[in-house]
Amino acid sequence: MDSISNATIEDLKKVSTATIATCLFKKGLKNQYIQGVQPLQLGGATMVGPAFTLRYIPAREDLNPIAVFKDRLHPQRVAVEECPEGHVLVFDSRKDARAASAGSILATRLMVRGVAGMVTDGGFRDSGEIRELDFPAFHQAPSAPTNLTLHQAIDINVPIACGEAAVFPGDIVVGDDDGVIVIPAAIANEVAAECIEMTSYEQFVMEKVLEGTPITGLYPLTNEKIKEAYRTRKKH
């Protein structure tokens, strides 16, 4: 994994997934947004951290009885105990929310261990309890049945698909009220710096729009007088 600085993590907490999506699109990356997931808690702090992944496959009844949870090496349990502090646990649940990817006990354990958040393209059980935690969580929909009824945990920290996006271990995962986006690790520092600049200009644009300025020449920036006004603003 490429080295991601603490400054990059902090910068990405200050920008939106919408801004990141635009930045990535400019770089030719069009499919980094995890489709179909939403935050359990609105208005919380932005979730940022490297991806640690868990992959599910369709459950097979002879291999996936409830007794498998007694196995200390069960991949779901191992992932919860091994996901590093500051990382985001990302589940590949095959876009199937009919059975839960995890519940409030595992979410609480991740929170206590210092994990940055969790994301599934399936569902979480105990969603009301998870919503009350100080822990970012994103899913497709609430789901009461245990994951064993449909999902079999099979691989830890391997490349996965989540909501039609490819997620590699160490990619930087960012989540806010709009959803979750994945930044390839190799360009995360670069993207963070560019997004900080984009956010600064977008704040300037909003100020001008509220003053009554038309968006032509302002957004995108093509008017030379506006360019000079923005340069002047940045100096102060």
Side-chain angles (χ1 to χ4, degrees):
M1 184 184 84
D2 287 61
S3 177
I4 307 301
S5 70
N6 289 332
T8 288
I9 296 294
E10 293 305 311
D11 281 347
L12 289 171
K13 291 179 180 179
K14 301 172 187 174
V15 302
S16 70
T17 55
T19 297
I20 295 169
T22 300
C23 180
L24 292 174
F25 178 59
K26 290 177 180 178
K27 297 178 182 299
L29 294 163
K30 304 176 184 179
N31 192 37
Q32 301 304 116
Y33 186 78
I34 295 180
Q35 299 292 334
V37 306
Q38 56 189 329
L40 272 74
Q41 314 97 331
L42 289 172
T46 298
M47 176 188 73
V48 183
F52 188 88
T53 65
L54 175 63
R55 183 172 73 95
Y56 286 113
I57 62 173
R60 207 175 78 182
E61 289 78 2
D62 62 326
L63 299 176
N64 216 45
I66 197 164
V68 299
F69 278 152
K70 295 179 181 179
D71 182 359
R72 296 174 64 88
L73 298 180
H74 185 273
Q76 185 204 50
R77 270 40 182 179
V78 172
V80 168
E81 293 299 328
E82 292 189 358
C83 183
E85 181 178 350
H87 284 55
V88 176
L89 182 55
V90 185
F91 300 79
D92 174 0
S93 291
R94 304 177 298 116
K95 300 190 297 180
D96 191 341
R98 292 178 297 159
S101 304
S104 62
I105 291 175
L106 300 189
T108 301
R109 176 60 179 157
L110 290 167
M111 178 187 71
V112 169
R113 292 191 58 251
V115 171
M118 63 181 186
V119 181
T120 181
D121 59 1
F124 292 128
R125 66 194 309 186
D126 315 316
S127 58
E129 295 176 29
I130 296 174
R131 187 176 295 113
E132 296 301 315
L133 297 175
D134 183 19
F135 184 66
F138 296 78
H139 72 170
Q140 182 189 143
S143 184
T146 175
N147 65 87
L148 296 176
T149 60
L150 286 175
H151 304 308
Q152 182 170 332
I154 197 74
D155 280 322
I156 298 171
N157 219 29
V158 296
I160 62 169
C162 186
E164 301 292 347
V167 184
F168 288 79
D171 283 346
I172 303 303
V173 182
V174 182
D176 60 15
D177 284 358
D178 283 340
V180 181
I181 197 159
V182 181
I183 306 172
I187 60 171
N189 295 323
E190 173 186 336
V191 167
E194 291 180 16
C195 285
I196 286 291
E197 175 60 28
M198 289 171 65
T199 298
S200 173
Y201 182 67
E202 287 167 359
Q203 291 169 346
F204 171 78
V205 168
M206 187 61 74
E207 291 171 7
K208 291 299 180 184
V209 169
L210 288 170
E211 291 170 1
T213 303
I215 62 169
T216 304
L218 173 67
Y219 189 70
L221 179 56
T222 58
N223 184 294
E224 290 300 323
K225 289 183 178 180
I226 295 175
K227 285 183 182 180
E228 185 56 35
Y230 177 59
R231 294 190 193 102
T232 301
R233 178 186 185 274
K234 286 183 66 178
K235 292 177 182 177
H236 295 85

